[in-house]
Amino acid sequence: MSVALGERDGRPPVPGAPAGEKDLVREVERLAVPERSLFERADDAAPAALVGTHRANPLSVLVEALKMTSGLVALVAFGLAGDFFAGDVGVLATLAAAAVAIFAACLLLSFVAWRARTWELADDGLVVRWGLLNRRRLTIPYEHVHTVSMNSALLERLVGLVTLDLDTGAATSEGDASKVRGLRAGEAEALRAELFRRKRALEAPGDEKDDAPAGSAGPRSEERPLATFSLTGRRLALAAASRTNAASQALALVILLVNGLNQLIEWGLLDIAGTGDQLMAAMTPAILPVVSAFVLAVVVLGALVSFVTNLVRYAGYRVERYADRVVVEHGLVSRSSRTLAAGRVQYLTVTQGLIRRAIGYAEVSAWVVAEPGEAGGEPAGSVLLHPFVRRDELDAFLAEVLPAYAGVLDDVELGRLGPVAGRRAVVRAALWWPLALGAFIGFHWLFGVSGLLAHAGWLVGPLLAAAGALSVLFLAVLVADALLAWRGARYGHTACELVLVSGGLTRRTAVAPRSHLQRMQVSASPFQRRAGVASLSVRTAASGSDGLDLRDVPAGAAADLLAWFRPHGGAAPCKADDYR
């Protein structure tokens, strides 16, 4: 079955557009809504000859040399910048000569590393060998493979190369040792499919239906996905516009502050020795409009930065489900494709910000065992399944992609936190404010004693007022977040799944199978025991913990959840096989 939330090839031409413009529009559409994986090509999508010992494509030598050279040349340029700005143009020749020498050295080093590194499909696993003087070998058993990521940075994409990153869920990350670099797109896809075919053959020998024996890598019939989802251009734009983050707002604030200071310097307004009081008196009527315009500009610029960032991140989104695995691909500049074994998903999260809650959309992520740095820019262990799915279409999406999780949110009965939890949440959110108020009064007294208020009151006074206003605004945001978190918090379970809803401005719904829970802890401080509530903490093998903690659950409900986690007597056992 194939379900698509996007357009397909055979799109009608753009009417009235010149030929060149039509080609450009088609190319943009192809990047935003690809018919096939951008890691595949029509002429090399067939499985490659994977038998024997292999090295990376020779073009990878050039790519790695350029990567090393760029960083070193940047350091040299930074060191020579002072002489250049002092008027010594001759440093450019020095920089060019240094760049040539560095590139030659990096090229030689990259070539030596390329010659020493090989990979091979053995009977017991993928064997990677590397090292020149100290020769090393790593064997990655097929049955231990949890996820396989295909990544292609901008420089690699220009020459058509892909890096394959295998994650076994080991307690310690294998790092570069578990990466196969310098693969052509079709070769990487064929290797990934072969790894999962051998994994499937070892885990369920009776279900292996390929004509070729499990230990071979010969040609076989093409395996087609059971379900496919993508984003249309309209939904892609909405997905990018409806997700904002603090980093974008902070970047916008820094940009506007730097530009504003530069402009004030050019206008001579910062040359205010002895004229600060007069200048501030003249500017006072315009302060409120200027500050309002500045805040609005920060919000708008932050939203624009966030939109572009999300558009680059989500472009080309595509998810495919096969019998034993799920493949998720997205990214415009740096392309990422992650393949995860469906049975290795530890839990699921559904995330909604304020905007997405208002329009009825959500982001769905699966959490797997992974080390930090192996998630392609996402939180460690998190795999983005869908960046922008309608809430009422979520169950249908899960039924196609992760059937074991389908229907859980419709079947579960969820409890709510009591009024005491709301009061405690507000107190926790506002607990810091009296301390901030005390610090504000202390600074005001200190500035008064030191005479700074008398001599530079025009500057210190507005700064203190701004700090006070910001603290009040921050307090209001935290209290609102606490109240929203209390009103939205839910907890409950089905026969085999735990469901927790947490978060205020950003709400997370976590669905965790009982068979994947490694620990459930119920704790209560003296204040919580007096209020009759407790804190619930749940952990799985995944490194993340988003949505798996909930405060101030009624003590009786927490005890019931703990009893469900450790069932007694007539409690029906769960089928762990449903999640494998």
Side-chain angles (χ1 to χ4, degrees), residues 55-63 107 110-111 114 161 182 184:
R55 287 189 177 89
N57 189 283
L59 283 174
S60 63
V61 177
L62 178 62
V63 171
L107 191 63
S110 178
F111 176 77
W114 172 78
L161 297 182
R184 285 290 186 180

Side-chain angles (χ1 to χ4, degrees), residues 300-435:
V300 172
L301 182 58
L304 181 60
V305 172
S306 181
F307 174 77
V308 174
T309 302
N310 292 329
L311 196 63
V312 170
R313 179 191 178 201
Y314 295 148
Y317 163 80
R318 183 181 181 85
V319 60
E320 295 177 338
R321 182 176 76 88
Y322 295 83
D324 60 337
R325 64 192 187 277
V326 178
V327 181
V328 184
E329 181 178 328
H330 59 87
L332 184 59
V333 177
S334 180
R335 195 73 181 160
S336 172
S337 176
R338 302 193 71 189
T339 301
L340 60 147
R344 299 296 185 179
V345 175
Q346 297 299 303
Y347 68 100
L348 202 72
T349 56
V350 181
T351 306
Q352 292 179 289
L354 283 177
I355 298 176
R356 292 188 173 183
R357 284 214 301 272
I359 61 178
Y361 282 85
E363 178 178 293
V364 186
S365 297
W367 292 79
V368 297
V369 181
E371 285 295 313
E374 297 179 355
E378 299 168 18
S382 173
V383 179
L384 180 68
L385 289 182
H386 203 304
F388 196 67
V389 62
R390 284 189 63 88
R391 192 63 178 79
D392 54 9
E393 295 175 355
L394 175 60
D395 194 60
F397 171 75
L398 292 177
E400 296 294 335
V401 176
L402 288 177
Y405 291 83
V408 175
L409 296 178
D410 292 334
D411 297 340
V412 67
E413 294 185 6
L414 298 175
R416 302 184 61 176
L417 304 184
V420 65
R423 294 193 295 269
R424 287 176 54 80
V426 172
V427 170
R428 282 195 304 269
L431 194 59
W432 62 274
W433 200 77
L435 299 177

